């Protein structure tokens, strides 16, 4: 019996030390605090920056906007008549809120068949891949947080068509992403 108890205690201890699976870091307005609380994030951000050229602060601002750093973030449910669940608003999931189809395209093109959207390293690699492709196809620099976010949210074809122009709320959000990226960039200089 004591072996079973010890095994159960060990499992509970390991689960409690998991870095807050699904939970956000405590101080989302402080880049240094985020990285101090979750050191694995910085490793992931830097790996993506080296591989794709996307600055750490652009990645952080995009993840903040997409998921608030919640690893298993999902879109809300849709309801008919206010009570009958119809499913989620989209297939977006994880840190990067990658849609199923775009995630599959990423897996196919990169060969990362075991990548998961709720793992920070995989999510940042996805974002780096997507943003680098946006730079190559549309000429949007990976350092341009505002326009990269617009292309990320609307898809490259939507961005090319200017679909965001009919969505004032999205243009405002993209401006907020840009401001947050600037704020994180300043903070990262002193970490």
């Amino acid at each position: 019996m004591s072996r079973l108890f010890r095994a159960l205690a060990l499992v509970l201890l390991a689960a409690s030390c998991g870095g807050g699976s699904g939970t956000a870091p405590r101080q989302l307005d402080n880049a240094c605090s985020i990285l101090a609380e979750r050191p694995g994030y910085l490793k992931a951000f830097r790996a993506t920056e080296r591989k794709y050229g996307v600055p750490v602060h652009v990645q952080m601002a995009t993840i903040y906007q997409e998921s608030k750093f919640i690893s298993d973030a999902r879109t809300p449910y849709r309801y008919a008549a206010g009570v009958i669940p119809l499913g989620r608003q989209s297939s977006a999931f994880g840190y990067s809120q990658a849609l199923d189809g775009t995630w599959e395209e990423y897996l196919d093109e990169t060969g990362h068949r075991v990548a998961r959207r709720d793992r920070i390293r995989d999510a940042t690699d996805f974002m780096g891949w997507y943003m680098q492709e946006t730079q190559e196809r549309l000429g949007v620099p990976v350092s341009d947080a505002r326009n990269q976010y617009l292309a990320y949210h609307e898809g490259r074809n939507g961005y090319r068509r200017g679909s965001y122009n009919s969505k004032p709320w999205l243009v405002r959000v993209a401006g907020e992403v840009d401001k947050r990226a600037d704020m994180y960039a300043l903070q990262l200089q002193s970490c």
Side-chain angles (χ1 to χ4, degrees):
M1 185 67 165
S2 66
R3 263 185 140 163
L4 177 62
F5 181 73
R6 271 187 282 169
L8 182 59
L10 191 60
V11 167
L12 289 173
L13 178 64
S16 69
C17 296
S21 178
T23 63
R26 285 185 288 277
Q27 297 180 17
L28 295 178
D29 290 333
N30 185 322
C32 298
S33 176
I34 292 169
L35 299 178
E37 187 176 335
R38 307 279 169 89
Y41 284 12
L42 184 57
K43 291 178 185 171
F45 294 138
R46 284 193 175 144
T48 295
E49 185 175 43
R50 281 190 304 274
K51 187 172 180 180
Y52 298 106
V54 180
V56 170
H57 61 277
V58 172
Q59 296 174 60
M60 290 182 73
T62 304
I63 287 178
Y64 173 87
Q65 184 58 45
E66 290 297 289
S67 68
K68 304 295 187 276
F69 291 91
I70 297 172
S71 64
D72 58 356
R74 294 181 184 273
T75 58
Y77 281 102
R78 293 176 297 149
Y79 294 92
V83 293
I84 303 166
L86 298 174
R88 297 209 179 261
Q89 292 175 0
S90 78
S91 64
F93 176 72
Y95 287 110
S96 62
Q97 288 294 283
L99 297 170
D100 289 351
T102 313
W103 186 256
E104 282 299 319
E105 182 184 342
Y106 161 75
L107 295 176
D108 290 344
E109 287 190 20
T110 63
H112 294 182
R113 298 307 306 169
V114 296
R116 293 178 26 191
R117 293 179 276 185
D118 60 352
R119 242 188 330 234
I120 191 68
R121 190 169 194 108
D122 296 336
T124 60
D125 193 76
F126 166 81
M127 286 175 42
W129 166 82
Y130 193 90
M131 290 179 174
Q132 182 186 57
E133 288 282 315
T134 298
Q135 178 174 275
E136 290 175 9
R137 294 181 192 184
L138 302 176
V140 178
V142 292
S143 59
D144 181 348
R146 179 188 181 280
N147 287 298
Q148 278 286 348
Y149 183 75
L150 288 170
Y152 192 84
H153 187 277
E154 293 296 278
R156 291 186 201 100
N157 289 333
Y159 180 83
R160 185 180 289 119
R161 287 191 314 269
S163 62
Y164 55 88
N165 287 318
S166 65
K167 300 174 183 176
W169 63 269
L170 179 58
V171 173
R172 178 186 50 77
V173 167
E176 291 170 6
V177 170
D178 193 43
K179 286 179 187 171
R180 181 165 294 274
D182 290 344
M183 178 184 76
Y184 282 160
L186 284 172
Q187 293 170 348
L188 289 169
Q189 292 174 7
S190 63
C191 293

